[in-house]
Amino acid sequence: MKFKKVVYIRYFPLTKAIYIDLYFNQLLQNNIKVEYLDITDLFYPDRISAEKFDFLGTIKLSTYKQISSYLENQDIENTLFISIMTFEWRVFRLFRLFTKFNLKLGVFARGVFPNSTDESKKSKFFKTIKRISFERVIGFCQNKFSVYAKKTEFIKSYDYIFKAGEYGYWGLGIGSEIDNQSANIIEVNTVDYDQFLVHKKAPTAVADEYIVFLDQYLPYHPDASYFKIKTVDPIPYFKEVNGFFAKLELATGKKVIIAAHPKAERYKEFNPYNNREIFFNQSNDLVKGASLVLTHASTAVCFPICYEKKIVLLGSDYLNEILPQFLEVAKSLVIACDATLLAMDNVEEINISESLDLIKYNDFKYKYLTSTVSENQLSKDIFINFLKSEEKFLQ
């Protein structure tokens, strides 16, 4: 059996990143039809996205009745439906429709981070108590019921998981352990690991010795306003970051350059890094040639892991207060790959060890980025070959 069509389903508008990362062009070039079901109006009717990407195969559906009508007219046997949504109570009714029509359901499970293990159970208990509210209790019960629904097959599990790393399934949402045990697993890579494979033999982008900072566009990231997430104020943030960079340059004799976040369009209008060089869409190549890699809690740690570069994670009292989740991720990375965590606002003498724990780097690579099966293949090729193969090994 070959899949002749792929339908992506998401409760946000299509973006250019999704279009590229999920291989729309490659599918079309291989005569596999592609459609994108945009169900934003059903879940977030008041949200407006500035990132919408025009694609002729986009179909906007606003009600469950419309979705049901759409599914009734599909060739279910020869179509693979890919969910680009985290499973939770919010999408329960939608997944009931998927179950009713017995869709061939797939998902990409990649891009997860290690969990922090150094927080005591007591600390976690008191944090949970502080967060208790009626709404949270209701949500907890709803999610518990959703897991039970998966166990009893009232909600179908995924048929296919395209998984990057041993723990890629962590990002699937509640009941992910059930999915990981019941689905057919196709080993792929993270998007960044695929970029590493493409770029690893290319020449370095900068000739001189340098330190690279993997910018996360924190003060201006469009997701902050779209998802109504609290973020940092640009004035104190850039004051701290630039102050630390100046100290680091003085201590090492090397310049700090900036690998801009892919969405950092405002940096093309002004330079908030005190006129340090800013490079766009070159993170991979810049890390390859760097002597040291700086970031906060970026998913781009794939690059320093793969190129075996020392990782320094930057925090501060201000960042910890505004974005406490960054500190948790940073602590996890310290444990998982022996990264160094520095407080930008409390560094009198900069002394960064150059040693690397390559055993931890290798462990991180196979837990979160790739597998021994896929590490020398591009995910797009694995995905296309799977869709075109006769055997789909359904259990």
Side-chain angles (χ1 to χ4, degrees), residues 13-67:
L14 178 63
T15 63
K16 185 177 181 180
I18 292 292
Y19 184 88
I20 294 171
D21 294 346
L22 292 180
Y23 322 118
F24 281 58
N25 265 347
Q26 290 87 349
L27 291 169
L28 294 171
Q29 289 167 3
N30 282 272
N31 297 315
I32 298 171
K33 190 174 180 181
V34 185
E35 289 180 349
Y36 182 86
L37 296 193
D38 180 351
I39 54 174
T40 307
D41 289 344
L42 182 60
F43 288 88
Y44 301 102
D46 299 326
R47 302 265 177 101
I48 299 174
S49 174
E51 289 189 83
K52 187 173 67 171
F53 183 78
D54 290 330
F55 169 58
L56 289 175
T58 297
I59 299 172
K60 294 193 68 172
L61 302 175
S62 304
T63 66
Y64 288 105
K65 185 176 181 180
Q66 290 176 355
I67 297 171

Side-chain angles (χ1 to χ4, degrees), residues 275-378:
N275 292 320
R276 290 181 175 87
E277 290 181 278
I278 298 178
F279 295 83
F280 295 88
N281 302 313
Q282 296 185 61
S283 296
N284 192 327
D285 296 331
L286 291 172
V287 168
K288 179 168 55 175
S291 60
L292 190 66
V293 180
L294 312 172
T295 189
H296 298 303
S298 172
T299 55
V301 294
C302 167
F303 298 141
I305 292 288
C306 292
Y307 288 118
E308 298 182 356
K309 302 291 182 176
K310 183 68 179 182
I311 304 169
V312 176
L313 305 170
L314 304 179
S316 71
D317 288 343
Y318 175 65
L319 272 178
N320 296 345
E321 179 185 353
I322 304 299
L323 302 171
Q325 69 273 21
F326 271 39
L327 179 59
E328 292 306 311
V329 172
K331 288 179 179 178
S332 300
L333 290 172
V334 169
I335 296 168
C337 58
D338 197 35
T340 296
L341 178 59
L342 286 182
M344 296 182 292
D345 56 341
N346 191 29
V347 178
E348 293 183 4
E349 183 178 345
I350 298 177
N351 185 16
I352 302 170
S353 170
E354 295 182 2
S355 66
L356 295 177
D357 190 331
L358 295 181
I359 294 176
K360 283 191 173 183
Y361 271 40
N362 201 54
D363 188 52
F364 189 100
K365 173 181 169 182
Y366 292 118
K367 281 182 176 177
Y368 307 108
L369 306 177
T370 186
S371 71
T372 54
V373 174
S374 61
E375 62 182 325
N376 295 313
Q377 302 178 70
L378 293 175

Side-chain angles (χ1 to χ4, degrees), residues 60-331:
K60 294 193 68 172
L61 302 175
S62 304
T63 66
Y64 288 105
K65 185 176 181 180
Q66 290 176 355
I67 297 171
S68 183
S69 178
Y70 170 86
L71 295 177
E72 284 176 354
N73 291 291
Q74 300 306 302
D75 179 4
I76 299 298
E77 286 301 312
N78 296 299
T79 302
L80 179 62
F81 293 82
I82 301 281
S83 169
I84 321 177
M85 299 169 290
T86 303
F87 181 74
E88 46 156 338
W89 175 258
R90 185 194 333 244
V91 296
F92 187 92
R93 186 176 174 185
L94 181 64
F95 273 69
R96 271 297 295 155
L97 274 181
F98 297 165
T99 305
K100 172 186 174 182
F101 286 96
N102 196 26
L103 305 184
K104 304 295 187 298
L105 194 61
V107 67
F108 277 83
R110 55 188 184 181
V112 300
F113 260 36
N115 289 327
S116 178
T117 58
D118 62 346
E119 187 178 34
S120 70
K121 291 182 179 179
K122 182 178 179 181
S123 173
K124 286 183 179 179
F125 173 77
F126 282 114
K127 283 187 177 181
T128 302
I129 290 294
K130 287 179 181 179
R131 291 197 297 259
I132 283 181
S133 67
F134 177 74
E135 290 78 10
R136 288 184 180 276
V137 170
I138 293 298
F140 174 82
C141 294
Q142 289 172 332
N143 284 337
K144 282 291 185 182
F145 175 74
S146 298
V147 173
Y148 176 76
K150 272 198 174 182
K151 284 183 178 178
T152 58
E153 299 183 357
F154 185 69
I155 292 289
K156 74 169 291 163
S157 295
Y158 294 106
D159 297 302
Y160 306 104
I161 297 178
F162 301 90
K163 186 174 73 169
E166 181 183 356
Y167 297 132
Y169 70 92
W170 282 355
L172 296 182
I174 60 174
S176 59
E177 295 85 359
I178 300 170
D179 292 315
N180 191 54
Q181 292 171 4
S182 63
N184 296 286
I185 306 296
I186 300 91
E187 305 285 358
V188 295
N189 312 313
T190 64
V191 172
D192 281 349
Y193 187 88
D194 279 333
Q195 286 301 306
F196 160 72
L197 289 180
V198 171
H199 288 260
K200 66 179 181 178
K201 294 183 180 179
T204 56
V206 180
D208 301 329
E209 275 199 296
Y210 62 88
I211 297 166
V212 65
F213 174 62
L214 301 179
D215 166 72
Q216 289 174 264
Y217 205 35
L218 289 185
Y220 310 115
H221 200 296
D223 285 358
S225 58
Y226 187 80
F227 292 108
K228 301 178 181 178
I229 300 171
K230 188 178 182 181
T231 191
V232 297
D233 183 270
I235 294 176
Y237 172 73
F238 285 116
K239 181 179 179 181
E240 278 193 342
V241 170
N242 286 318
F244 175 79
F245 289 168
K247 290 180 183 178
L248 184 61
E249 289 170 331
L250 187 62
T252 63
K254 299 174 184 177
K255 64 181 180 180
V256 174
I257 64 175
I258 314 301
H261 187 276
K263 297 181 180 180
E265 291 298 317
R266 296 188 67 175
Y267 294 171
K268 296 175 182 178
E269 302 170 7
F270 69 99
N271 185 330
Y273 288 106
N274 289 353
N275 292 320
R276 290 181 175 87
E277 290 181 278
I278 298 178
F279 295 83
F280 295 88
N281 302 313
Q282 296 185 61
S283 296
N284 192 327
D285 296 331
L286 291 172
V287 168
K288 179 168 55 175
S291 60
L292 190 66
V293 180
L294 312 172
T295 189
H296 298 303
S298 172
T299 55
V301 294
C302 167
F303 298 141
I305 292 288
C306 292
Y307 288 118
E308 298 182 356
K309 302 291 182 176
K310 183 68 179 182
I311 304 169
V312 176
L313 305 170
L314 304 179
S316 71
D317 288 343
Y318 175 65
L319 272 178
N320 296 345
E321 179 185 353
I322 304 299
L323 302 171
Q325 69 273 21
F326 271 39
L327 179 59
E328 292 306 311
V329 172
K331 288 179 179 178

